[in-house]
Coordinates of all heavy atoms in Angstrom, one line a residue:
G161 N 175.6 163.0 87.1 CA 175.3 163.3 88.4 C 173.9 163.6 88.6 O 172.9 162.9 87.9
K162 N 173.5 164.5 89.5 CA 172.0 164.7 89.8 C 171.3 165.4 88.6 O 171.8 166.4 88.1 CB 171.9 165.6 91.0 CG 170.5 166.0 91.4 CD 170.5 167.0 92.6 CE 169.2 167.5 92.8 NZ 169.1 168.6 94.0
W163 N 170.1 165.1 88.4 CA 169.3 165.7 87.4 C 168.2 166.5 88.1 O 168.2 167.7 87.9 CB 168.6 164.6 86.4 CG 167.6 165.1 85.4 CD1 166.4 164.6 85.4 CD2 167.8 166.0 84.4 NE1 165.7 165.2 84.2 CE2 166.7 166.0 83.7 CE3 168.9 166.8 84.1 CZ2 166.3 167.0 82.6 CZ3 168.7 167.6 83.0 CH2 167.5 167.7 82.2
H164 N 167.1 165.9 88.6 CA 166.0 166.5 89.4 C 165.2 167.4 88.7 O 164.6 168.3 89.2 CB 166.7 167.2 90.6 CG 165.9 167.0 91.9 ND1 165.8 168.0 92.9 CD2 164.9 166.1 92.3 CE1 165.0 167.7 93.8 NE2 164.5 166.5 93.5
I165 N 165.0 167.1 87.3 CA 164.1 167.9 86.6 C 163.1 167.0 85.8 O 162.6 167.2 84.7 CB 164.8 168.8 85.5 CG1 166.1 169.4 86.1 CG2 163.9 170.0 85.2 CD1 166.8 170.3 85.0
G166 N 162.8 165.8 86.4 CA 161.8 164.9 86.0 C 162.5 163.5 85.4 O 163.6 163.6 84.8
E167 N 161.9 162.4 85.9 CA 162.5 161.1 85.6 C 161.4 160.3 84.7 O 161.9 159.2 84.3 CB 162.8 160.3 86.9 CG 161.7 160.1 87.9 CD 162.2 159.4 89.1 OE1 162.7 160.1 89.9 OE2 162.1 158.1 89.1
A168 N 160.3 160.9 84.3 CA 159.5 160.2 83.5 C 160.1 160.3 82.0 O 160.7 161.1 81.6 CB 158.0 160.8 83.5
E169 N 159.7 159.3 81.2 CA 160.0 159.2 79.9 C 159.7 160.5 79.1 O 158.5 161.0 79.4 CB 159.6 158.0 79.1 CG 160.2 157.9 77.7 CD 159.9 156.4 77.1 OE1 159.4 155.5 77.9 OE2 160.1 156.3 75.9
G170 N 160.6 161.1 78.4 CA 160.4 162.4 77.8 C 160.9 163.6 78.6 O 161.0 164.7 78.1
M171 N 161.3 163.3 80.0 CA 161.8 164.4 80.8 C 163.2 164.1 81.2 O 163.8 164.9 82.1 CB 160.8 164.6 81.9 CG 159.5 165.0 81.6 SD 158.4 165.1 83.2 CE 159.3 166.4 84.1
R172 N 163.7 162.9 80.8 CA 165.1 162.6 81.3 C 166.2 163.4 80.5 O 165.8 164.0 79.5 CB 165.2 161.2 81.2 CG 164.2 160.3 81.9 CD 164.2 158.8 81.4 NE 164.1 158.6 80.0 CZ 163.9 157.5 79.4 NH1 164.1 156.3 80.1 NH2 163.8 157.4 78.1
P173 N 167.4 163.6 81.0 CA 168.3 164.3 80.3 C 168.6 163.9 78.9 O 168.7 164.7 78.0 CB 169.7 164.0 81.2 CG 169.1 163.7 82.5 CD 167.9 162.9 82.3
H174 N 168.6 162.5 78.6 CA 168.8 162.1 77.3 C 167.5 162.1 76.4 O 167.6 161.7 75.3 CB 169.5 160.6 77.3 CG 168.8 159.6 78.2 ND1 168.6 159.9 79.5 CD2 168.1 158.5 78.0 CE1 168.0 158.9 80.2 NE2 167.5 158.1 79.2
D175 N 166.5 162.5 77.0 CA 165.3 162.8 76.2 C 165.2 164.3 75.8 O 164.4 164.6 75.0 CB 164.0 162.5 77.1 CG 163.9 161.1 77.4 OD1 164.3 160.1 76.6 OD2 163.3 160.7 78.5
V176 N 166.0 165.1 76.6 CA 165.7 166.6 76.2 C 166.9 167.2 75.7 O 167.1 168.4 75.7 CB 165.3 167.3 77.6 CG1 164.0 166.7 78.2 CG2 166.4 167.3 78.6
G177 N 167.8 166.4 75.2 CA 168.8 167.0 74.3 C 170.3 166.5 74.7 O 171.2 166.6 73.7
F178 N 170.6 165.9 75.9 CA 171.8 165.4 76.2 C 172.1 164.1 75.3 O 171.1 163.2 75.2 CB 172.1 165.2 77.7 CG 172.2 166.5 78.4 CD1 171.2 167.0 79.1 CD2 173.5 166.9 78.5 CE1 171.5 168.2 79.8 CE2 173.8 168.1 79.3 CZ 172.7 168.7 79.9
D179 N 173.4 163.8 74.8 CA 173.7 162.6 74.2 C 173.7 161.4 75.2 O 173.3 160.4 74.8 CB 175.1 162.7 73.5 CG 175.1 163.8 72.3 OD1 174.2 163.5 71.5 OD2 176.0 164.5 72.3
E180 N 174.2 161.9 76.4 CA 174.3 160.8 77.3 C 174.1 161.3 78.7 O 174.3 162.4 79.1 CB 175.9 160.4 77.2 CG 176.3 159.2 78.1 CD 177.7 158.8 77.9 OE1 178.5 159.6 77.3 OE2 178.1 157.7 78.5
F181 N 173.6 160.4 79.6 CA 173.4 160.7 81.1 C 173.9 159.5 81.8 O 173.6 158.4 81.6 CB 171.8 160.8 81.2 CG 171.5 160.9 82.7 CD1 172.0 161.9 83.5 CD2 170.6 160.0 83.2 CE1 171.6 161.9 84.9 CE2 170.2 159.9 84.6 CZ 170.8 160.9 85.4
Y182 N 174.6 159.9 82.9 CA 175.1 159.0 83.8 C 175.1 159.5 85.2 O 175.7 160.5 85.6 CB 176.7 158.7 83.5 CG 177.3 157.6 84.3 CD1 177.2 156.3 83.9 CD2 178.0 157.9 85.5 CE1 177.8 155.3 84.6 CE2 178.6 156.9 86.2 CZ 178.5 155.6 85.8 OH 179.1 154.6 86.5
G183 N 173.9 159.2 86.0 CA 173.7 159.7 87.3 C 172.4 159.2 87.8 O 172.0 158.2 87.7
Y184 N 171.9 160.1 88.7 CA 170.6 159.8 89.5 C 169.7 160.9 89.1 O 170.0 162.0 89.0 CB 171.0 159.9 91.0 CG 172.0 158.8 91.4 CD1 173.4 159.1 91.4 CD2 171.6 157.5 91.9 CE1 174.2 158.1 92.0 CE2 172.5 156.6 92.2 CZ 173.7 156.9 92.2 OH 174.7 155.9 92.6
Y185 N 168.4 160.6 89.0 CA 167.3 161.5 88.8 C 167.1 162.3 90.0 O 166.8 163.6 89.8 CB 166.1 160.7 88.3 CG 166.2 160.0 87.1 CD1 165.9 158.6 87.0 CD2 166.6 160.5 85.9 CE1 166.0 157.9 85.8 CE2 166.8 159.9 84.7 CZ 166.5 158.6 84.7 OH 166.5 158.0 83.5
P186 N 167.0 161.9 91.2 CA 166.6 162.7 92.4 C 167.8 163.4 93.1 O 169.0 162.9 92.9 CB 165.7 161.8 93.2 CG 166.3 160.4 92.9 CD 167.0 160.4 91.6
A187 N 167.4 164.1 94.3 CA 168.5 164.4 95.1 C 168.8 163.3 96.0 O 168.0 162.3 96.2 CB 168.0 165.6 95.9
Q188 N 170.0 163.3 96.7 CA 170.4 162.1 97.4 C 169.6 161.9 98.7 O 169.4 160.7 99.1 CB 171.9 162.2 97.8 CG 172.4 163.3 98.7 CD 173.8 163.3 98.9 OE1 174.6 162.4 98.3 NE2 174.4 164.2 99.7
K189 N 169.0 162.9 99.2 CA 168.1 162.7 100.4 C 166.9 161.8 100.0 O 166.4 161.0 100.8 CB 167.6 164.0 101.0 CG 166.7 163.9 102.2 CD 165.2 164.1 101.7 CE 164.3 163.9 103.0 NZ 162.9 163.8 102.6
E190 N 166.4 162.1 98.8 CA 165.2 161.3 98.3 C 165.6 159.8 98.1 O 164.7 158.9 98.1 CB 164.6 161.9 97.0 CG 164.1 163.3 97.3 CD 163.8 164.0 96.0 OE1 163.0 163.4 95.1 OE2 164.4 165.1 95.8
I191 N 166.8 159.5 97.9 CA 167.4 158.1 97.7 C 167.7 157.5 99.1 O 167.2 156.4 99.5 CB 168.6 158.1 96.8 CG1 168.2 158.7 95.4 CG2 169.0 156.7 96.8 CD1 169.5 158.8 94.6
S192 N 168.4 158.3 99.9 CA 168.9 157.7 101.2 C 168.0 157.5 102.3 O 168.1 156.7 103.1 CB 170.1 158.5 101.7 OG 169.7 159.8 102.1
Q193 N 166.8 158.2 102.1 CA 165.8 158.1 103.2 C 165.1 156.7 103.2 O 164.7 156.3 104.2 CB 164.7 159.2 103.0 CG 163.8 159.0 101.7 CD 162.9 160.2 101.5 OE1 162.9 161.2 102.3 NE2 162.2 160.2 100.4
G194 N 165.3 156.0 102.0 CA 164.8 154.6 102.1 C 165.7 153.6 102.7 O 165.3 152.4 102.8
V195 N 166.9 154.0 103.0 CA 167.8 153.1 103.7 C 168.5 153.6 104.9 O 169.2 152.8 105.6 CB 169.0 152.7 102.6 CG1 168.5 152.0 101.4 CG2 169.8 154.0 102.3
D196 N 168.0 154.7 105.4 CA 168.7 155.3 106.6 C 167.8 155.2 107.7 O 166.8 156.0 108.0 CB 168.8 156.8 106.4 CG 169.6 157.4 107.4 OD1 169.9 156.8 108.4 OD2 169.9 158.7 107.4
G197 N 167.8 154.0 108.5 CA 166.9 153.7 109.6 C 167.1 154.6 110.7 O 166.2 154.6 111.6
R198 N 168.2 155.2 110.9 CA 168.6 156.1 112.1 C 167.8 157.4 111.9 O 167.1 157.9 112.9 CB 170.0 156.3 112.2 CG 170.4 157.1 113.3 CD 171.8 157.1 113.5 NE 172.4 157.9 114.8 CZ 172.5 159.2 114.8 NH1 172.1 160.0 113.8 NH2 172.8 159.8 116.0
R199 N 167.8 158.0 110.7 CA 167.0 159.2 110.6 C 165.5 159.2 110.1 O 164.8 160.0 110.5 CB 167.8 160.0 109.4 CG 167.4 161.4 109.2 CD 168.3 162.2 108.3 NE 167.9 163.6 108.2 CZ 168.2 164.7 109.0 NH1 169.0 164.3 110.1 NH2 167.8 165.8 108.8
Y200 N 165.2 158.0 109.5 CA 163.8 157.7 109.2 C 163.4 156.4 109.6 O 162.9 155.6 108.9 CB 163.7 157.9 107.7 CG 164.3 159.2 107.0 CD1 165.5 159.1 106.5 CD2 163.6 160.2 106.9 CE1 166.1 160.3 106.0 CE2 164.0 161.4 106.4 CZ 165.4 161.4 106.0 OH 166.0 162.6 105.6
P201 N 163.3 156.3 111.0 CA 162.9 154.8 111.5 C 161.5 154.5 111.2 O 161.1 153.3 111.0 CB 163.2 155.0 113.0 CG 163.2 156.5 113.3 CD 163.6 157.1 112.0
D202 N 160.6 155.5 111.2 CA 159.2 155.2 111.0 C 158.9 154.7 109.5 O 157.9 154.2 109.2 CB 158.4 156.5 111.3 CG 158.8 157.7 110.5 OD1 160.0 157.8 110.3 OD2 157.9 158.5 110.4
L203 N 160.0 155.0 108.6 CA 159.8 154.5 107.2 C 160.6 153.2 107.0 O 160.0 152.2 106.7 CB 160.4 155.5 106.2 CG 160.5 155.1 104.8 CD1 159.1 154.8 104.2 CD2 161.2 156.2 104.0
V204 N 161.9 153.2 107.3 CA 162.8 152.1 107.1 C 162.5 150.8 107.8 O 162.5 149.8 107.4 CB 164.3 152.5 107.3 CG1 165.2 151.3 107.1 CG2 164.6 153.7 106.3
N205 N 162.2 151.1 109.2 CA 161.7 150.0 110.1 C 160.3 149.6 110.2 O 159.9 148.8 111.0 CB 162.3 150.4 111.5 CG 163.8 150.7 111.5 OD1 164.5 150.2 110.7 ND2 164.1 151.6 112.4

Side-chain angles (χ1 to χ4, degrees):
K162 175 186 171 181
W163 174 237
H164 218 206
I165 325 178
E167 59 183 83
E169 191 168 344
M171 296 179 61
R172 304 168 301 183
H174 47 299
D175 296 329
V176 304
F178 284 98
D179 292 312
E180 186 177 10
F181 168 61
Y182 187 86
Y184 297 89
Y185 296 126
Q188 61 179 6
K189 179 262 180 190
E190 295 169 52
I191 300 172
S192 64
Q193 65 188 358
V195 295
D196 186 359
R198 184 174 183 272
R199 191 169 180 87
Y200 306 96
D202 53 335
L203 172 64
V204 177
N205 300 327

